[in-house]
Amino acid sequence: MDFGRRHSTGHAEISPAKNNIEDRERPRVPLTPEILALYGVFENPAEPLKWRDILAGARQILNKRVYGFNKRPRQYFAALFPLLERLRHYRLRWVPTDLLAGLIVGMMQFTQVLGNSQTASLKPQIGLSILFYPGLVYALMASSMHNSVGGMCVTVATLSVSLINVQDVYYPDQIYQGRLMTDQEQLDLHSTIAPGIALIAGIVQIVMGLFKLGFLSAVISPNVLTPFTMACFLQSICGKIPSVLGIDPPVHFTYAKHFTDLVFTFKNINQINGWEVLMSASMAAIVISFREFLQPRIFQLVKVVIPIEFLLFVAFTGLSYALDLEHTARFRIVGTYEYGLQTWSWPNLSYGWDMAWSGVVVGLIAYSTCLESAKVLARRSEVPLSANQELMALGTAHVFSSFFSCYPVSASLGRGLVNESMGSQSQLSTVTACVFAGLIVGLAGPAIRYLPVCAISANMILFLSMSLSSFKELPNLWRANKVDGAVWFLTFVGCITLNVQIGLFVGIGLSMLGLIVRSQKPKVRVMGILKHTQWGFVAVKHYDTAHELPGVRILQLQSPLIYATADYLVKQIVTMALEPYIPQAALPILHVETAPTVIEESPENSQDQLKNKNPAIRALASSDTLSGLSVRSGSPSSNHFHKANKFKRKTQSTSMITALYASKEHLSAVGNPVNNDPGKRKRAARVVLDLGSVGYIDSVGIRALEQIASDLKGQDCEIILAQCTGPLLKQLKELEIHKIIPERNVFPSVVDAVEDAIRRNQVNTSPAEGVVGEYDDERFWDAPVVPVEGLPVVDYHQD
């Protein structure tokens, strides 16, 4: 199938059926070799490949799919560390705002990381190391200017499930050395497993970044990620309720953990510590009052977010130390630990595939939440964002920090918004936050041990409660789309009743299932032309004044043509193509002018026609052939056509379309037996299939096109393909579809295809020859029952 010679040979294949009208060339967009080169179609695909061509093709693939392969060493280094490149354009006047924003974010991170460690089934003080190491690496490599990595409730809730799963495999029923493990021993065990999971998560993220697989985050749709996040927030809240009341919760993780924590609280209600409840209530009252009334006014005056939680932590720590609340009031405090930054140590990877699988799951979730936060901040600041660079940055941060006993981290949108609202201009604010946190951990370690646990839990409940506003979106989502609303609700229910990891997989499965089910019945629209407008072709279903063109049916396919949709589309397109249209007399736009007024064309009128917004009018105005046909009345002859070519002629826009599309001669000469029978409704003789919205078509889709063409040929109807993109042209050429759909039936635009279909109807040409089964080829079968490879054998003429 030589598309390069399409324009010169296409019209020679058309043979007039009855009236011997000369078939003349008309100006339109030909599929020349130059245009096909732009589409990416090779001129000589049968030419043997050379090693140089193979290496060039491999290099092109590597340049496209491997991170940094198409960059020079200096460019690669600059792309890998965006912060260094941004410092070249840094202004000294930005230093105060970056330092202040970093201090505020560092204080916020300190107040949250202790509670996140509790959610991850770890000791509170274990999380202090993630305040320093991962943030520094991420700041150097992140493409986002305002994202702030650290403890994140979604990541630590998923990590908690992973830690318990690994523990159950190696220590079933919590049996260790023939006895039941204590809570302290479980926390120590989790502290050795978490860095290994962080290392694997980082390796997975780096590999994804190297091969530019950042798009895989789209696997988790917002309708799944949002309810999953809400379930993680609720899990953390329910787990903190006992601590707020002064009850020491056990280290456990079971199905329906949210309800299990509430049941545990009610069973041990007699162990409530009134003094801890009073401190928790005091902290809640102060934080809520300050955030609701004072903080907005302060921000309007000085554009500063006051870290009231950190100030309260300092006050309660001093109060605990001064009054010795651990002994006098039985307060639970953070306790002693080896303060200071963690030193280098190898992560423990001795837990095999269970740890590896946990690392993959946690890595994907950490990246998805980090990228979602970065997207929101990038839209607010209009700073370019690279998904693959975020993978590299987060993965390197995980790998590096895992050697310092850190667990997986992610980015919190709340911290990022504070960072951005404070006027931060670069990731230097994150560096400042890390340095501040490192100083706190390294120098104030002895004081941290006196921090009451109830204050940590109360702060986390307040922070997470303010993040539960996404529940109000569910009613609107349900009204907008029942399927998306059901996926949202069932994902949340799965996370609550099972656990957050299983609920996430349930949500992803339901989302994919809904996508597959909806793709099984894609949309096929019948297109028509509007009356008295400058628009092109529009869907007849959505416009009352839009009507079809007699003798030509335009079908727009609005989904990929693949194995999953081919079975349905073959039946749908054949059925819609053969469905009769409303007779011409019933259409107000198609009033017939048997002898349209012909005037000599002036330059002004010609320019108006050629500048018309309607592509059909532009194509018709520039077509000598159609201009000749439009003025034809009575018996046509070759002399008349030559005379029409000699002079430029035109009509008004509506009259031209009316004369072309609705002439009685046109309606009576479409060449379809059904149309020639006055007792039956009119049916299209040619069907234009608009493939502009297809996007992708596989080998089974090609077979489906062949089957559609063969079925329509058996009904004296011809199929014409329009808007064939470069990849589709290559597939048509390689699979030799020209045996069924000839080369002259492939057009680069809908206007060209419709124009040619009308011309063929005018000269009453026969449909293209060739049906599936006429060729000695294993890809084809006998008609009329034509099975498509991968599809069931269906006779579409029987149902």
Side-chain angles (χ1 to χ4, degrees):
M1 181 177 182
D2 190 356
F3 284 103
R5 297 192 299 270
R6 182 201 176 288
H7 183 61
S8 61
T9 62
H11 296 293
E13 299 177 6
I14 302 177
S15 57
K18 297 181 181 180
N19 37 20
N20 296 324
I21 299 175
E22 177 179 321
D23 182 25
R24 305 176 304 104
E25 287 291 338
R26 59 190 177 81
R28 59 191 177 94
V29 181
L31 291 178
T32 61
E34 292 77 12
I35 292 180
L36 291 174
L38 295 177
Y39 276 124
V41 180
F42 298 105
E43 285 297 310
N44 299 311
E47 183 179 347
L49 293 176
K50 299 179 181 179
W51 281 108
R52 184 169 57 185
D53 297 332
I54 296 176
L55 293 177
R59 182 178 181 84
Q60 184 178 4
I61 295 175
L62 293 176
N63 287 340
K64 184 178 180 181
R65 297 309 314 167
V66 178
Y67 179 88
F69 194 86
N70 59 340
K71 294 182 175 64
R72 296 180 179 180
R74 183 172 181 177
Q75 294 175 332
Y76 180 82
F77 186 82
L80 196 61
F81 299 100
L83 179 61
L84 301 181
E85 183 67 20
R86 287 170 180 162
L87 290 180
R88 296 175 55 187
H89 309 283
Y90 196 77
R91 301 290 183 267
L92 290 178
R93 65 176 183 271
W94 294 343
V95 173
T97 57
D98 278 355
L99 292 179
L100 182 59
L103 289 175
I104 302 300
V105 172
M107 294 177 186
M108 293 181 60
Q109 282 189 329
F110 179 81
T111 61
Q112 295 171 10
V113 70
L114 300 174
N116 287 324
S117 301
Q118 287 180 309
T119 303
S121 301
L122 298 168
K123 297 178 181 177
Q125 57 269 31
I126 292 297
L128 293 176
S129 296
I130 71 170
L131 294 174
F132 183 76
Y133 294 106
L136 284 178
V137 177
Y138 181 82
L140 287 173
M141 302 182 63
S143 61
S144 173
M145 286 203 317
H146 303 116
N147 231 9
S148 176
V149 298
M152 175 64 179
C153 184
V154 174
T155 308
V156 296
T158 310
L159 175 65
S160 177
V161 179
S162 300
L163 294 175
I164 297 298
N165 289 340
V166 174
Q167 173 186 310
D168 290 342
V169 171
Y170 290 88
Y171 303 99
D173 300 327
Q174 302 180 14
I175 301 300
Y176 175 70
Q177 295 181 353
R179 59 179 178 81
L180 189 66
M181 297 176 64
T182 64
D183 289 348
Q184 187 64 35
E185 289 174 338
Q186 291 188 68
L187 295 177
D188 292 337
L189 175 64
H190 295 173
S191 300
T192 61
I193 299 175
I197 294 178
L199 175 62
I200 296 172
I203 293 175
V204 171
Q205 291 166 346
I206 291 177
V207 171
M208 291 175 61
L210 286 175
F211 292 98
K212 298 183 179 181
L213 300 178
F215 63 88
L216 291 180
S217 64
V219 173
I220 307 179
S221 72
N223 295 328
V224 174
L225 188 60
T226 300
F228 169 73
T229 303
M230 295 299 101
C232 291
F233 288 171
L234 283 179
Q235 175 184 305
S236 182
I237 291 173
C238 294
K240 300 292 186 298
I241 291 177
S243 297
V244 168
L245 300 178
I247 303 173
D248 194 13
V251 179
H252 72 283
F253 199 98
T254 61
Y255 292 117
K257 186 177 184 299
H258 305 71
F259 304 107
T260 304
D261 290 334
L262 295 177
V263 171
F264 174 83
T265 302
F266 285 114
K267 285 184 177 180
N268 297 272
I269 198 72
N270 57 337
Q271 300 180 15
I272 290 179
N273 187 329
W275 292 109
E276 292 192 54
V277 173
L278 180 60
M279 179 175 287
S280 301
S282 301
M283 182 169 188
I286 296 174
V287 170
I288 292 175
S289 301
F290 184 85
R291 292 294 183 203
E292 291 293 329
F293 302 105
L294 294 180
Q295 179 60 72
R297 299 181 180 180
I298 295 175
F299 190 81
Q300 290 179 354
L301 294 176
V302 293
K303 302 296 181 182
V304 173
V305 178
I306 303 299
I308 186 63
E309 297 88 351
F310 181 81
L311 299 179
L312 289 175
F313 272 27
V314 173
F316 289 149
T317 299
L319 185 64
S320 174
Y321 174 77
L323 301 180
D324 193 14
L325 296 180
E326 180 184 9
H327 298 96
T328 58
R330 295 185 297 107
F331 268 62
R332 292 174 302 110
I333 59 176
V334 171
T336 58
Y337 71 101
E338 297 180 1
Y339 63 90
L341 295 174
Q342 292 285 340
T343 57
W344 176 280
S345 62
W346 286 94
N348 189 346
L349 299 176
S350 61
Y351 293 96
W353 289 107
D354 299 284
M355 174 182 284
W357 170 247
S358 299
V360 172
V361 174
V362 174
L364 290 176
I365 293 174
Y367 167 64
S368 297
T369 55
C370 181
L371 186 63
E372 286 299 316
S373 174
K375 286 179 180 178
V376 175
L377 297 173
R379 285 193 295 267
R380 291 171 60 92
S381 59
E382 299 182 356
V383 176
L385 180 68
S386 171
N388 296 309
Q389 183 61 34
E390 289 298 308
L391 270 173
M392 298 293 293
L394 190 61
T396 306
H398 275 140
V399 171
F400 179 78
S401 61
S402 66
F403 290 93
F404 296 93
S405 302
C406 295
Y407 57 78
V409 298
S410 188
S412 170
L413 179 59
R415 294 195 300 265
L417 291 175
V418 171
N419 194 14
E420 187 263 343
S421 65
M422 292 286 294
S424 171
Q425 298 295 327
S426 72
Q427 282 287 345
L428 281 181
S429 59
T430 301
V431 175
T432 303
C434 295
V435 172
F436 171 77
L439 293 175
I440 292 293
V441 174
L443 302 178
I448 295 176
R449 69 178 300 269
Y450 293 102
L451 179 62
V453 174
C454 64
I456 299 174
S457 300
N459 174 65
M460 286 301 298
I461 291 178
L462 290 174
F463 174 74
L464 296 177
S465 298
M466 291 185 293
S467 303
L468 295 177
S469 58
S470 296
F471 280 110
K472 65 183 180 182
E473 299 177 2
L474 181 57
N476 296 331
L477 182 63
W478 177 262
R479 286 190 293 267
N481 192 306
K482 298 293 189 297
V483 175
D484 292 342
V487 170
W488 199 105
F489 178 75
L490 293 176
T491 301
F492 180 77
V493 171
C495 293
I496 294 293
T497 57
L498 301 174
N499 63 51
V500 290
Q501 274 194 18
I502 297 178
L504 176 64
F505 295 142
V506 169
I508 294 176
L510 290 174
S511 180
M512 293 297 178
L513 180 61
L515 183 64
I516 293 174
V517 170
R518 282 182 284 189
S519 67
Q520 294 299 306
K521 292 187 177 182
K523 301 294 184 182
V524 180
R525 299 295 188 197
V526 178
M527 310 297 288
I529 190 168
L530 286 174
K531 179 182 180 181
H532 303 315
T533 64
Q534 295 181 341
W535 289 21
F537 301 107
V538 297
V540 175
K541 178 180 179 180
H542 301 306
Y543 294 87
D544 296 334
T545 59
H547 301 289
E548 296 186 65
L549 312 179
V552 179
R553 171 152 291 171
I554 308 172
L555 299 179
Q556 185 183 66
L557 180 58
Q558 298 181 336
S559 74
L561 184 53
I562 57 177
Y563 71 95
T565 61
D567 186 23
Y568 175 81
L569 287 176
V570 169
K571 180 177 180 180
Q572 187 76 0
I573 292 174
V574 171
T575 302
M576 296 177 68
L578 300 178
E579 181 182 355
Y581 55 81
I582 300 176
Q584 174 266 339
L587 302 181
I589 185 177
L590 299 178
H591 60 279
V592 178
E593 296 182 17
T594 56
T597 303
V598 181
I599 61 174
E600 189 173 359
E601 186 173 300
S602 63
E604 294 79 8
N605 292 333
S606 176
Q607 292 299 321
D608 292 340
Q609 288 285 351
L610 293 174
K611 293 181 180 180
N612 197 295
K613 294 183 179 180
N614 191 326
I617 297 176
R618 291 200 309 270
L620 298 173
S622 62
S623 174
D624 293 338
T625 302
L626 289 181
S627 297
L629 292 175
S630 65
V631 299
R632 183 161 44 89
S633 62
S635 60
S637 65
S638 299
N639 293 333
H640 181 80
F641 277 111
H642 287 296
K643 185 177 180 181
N645 279 333
K646 189 175 181 180
F647 301 97
K648 295 284 186 178
R649 301 174 181 274
K650 69 174 282 292
T651 61
Q652 296 298 329
S653 299
T654 307
S655 300
M656 179 187 297
I657 299 176
T658 301
L660 282 170
Y661 295 161
S663 64
K664 292 181 178 179
E665 185 175 356
H666 175 208
L667 293 176
S668 63
V670 293
N672 194 309
V674 176
N675 293 339
N676 295 331
D677 187 349
K680 295 185 178 181
R681 298 179 67 189
K682 305 300 181 180
R683 196 176 72 187
R686 284 169 177 84
V687 175
V688 175
L689 188 59
D690 181 4
L691 302 178
S693 302
V694 168
Y696 174 72
I697 183 171
D698 61 4
S699 59
V700 180
I702 295 291
R703 306 295 192 272
L705 287 178
E706 294 170 344
Q707 180 174 344
I708 292 170
S710 179
D711 289 354
L712 293 179
K713 173 61 172 63
Q715 298 293 323
D716 296 320
C717 186
E718 184 178 23
I719 186 172
I720 300 176
L721 305 182
Q723 292 207 76
C724 297
T725 59
L728 178 56
L729 285 175
K730 288 178 60 178
Q731 290 176 295
L732 297 179
K733 187 173 184 179
E734 293 168 356
L735 294 177
E736 298 181 335
I737 197 175
H738 66 280
K739 292 183 177 182
I740 305 302
I741 303 177
E743 180 182 340
R744 66 187 176 93
N745 284 17
V746 181
F747 289 82
S749 70
V750 178
V751 173
D752 281 325
V754 173
E755 183 183 351
D756 199 81
I758 295 173
R759 184 182 60 81
R760 297 183 194 183
N761 286 346
Q762 292 279 7
V763 297
N764 201 12
T765 59
S766 300
E769 298 295 333
V771 295
V772 177
E774 292 185 359
Y775 302 97
D776 186 16
D777 193 320
E778 62 180 3
R779 298 184 296 112
F780 305 125
W781 296 269
D782 293 333
V785 180
V786 187
V788 177
E789 182 178 334
L791 302 179
V793 178
V794 179
D795 186 354
Y796 295 106
H797 305 298
Q798 297 297 323
D799 51 3

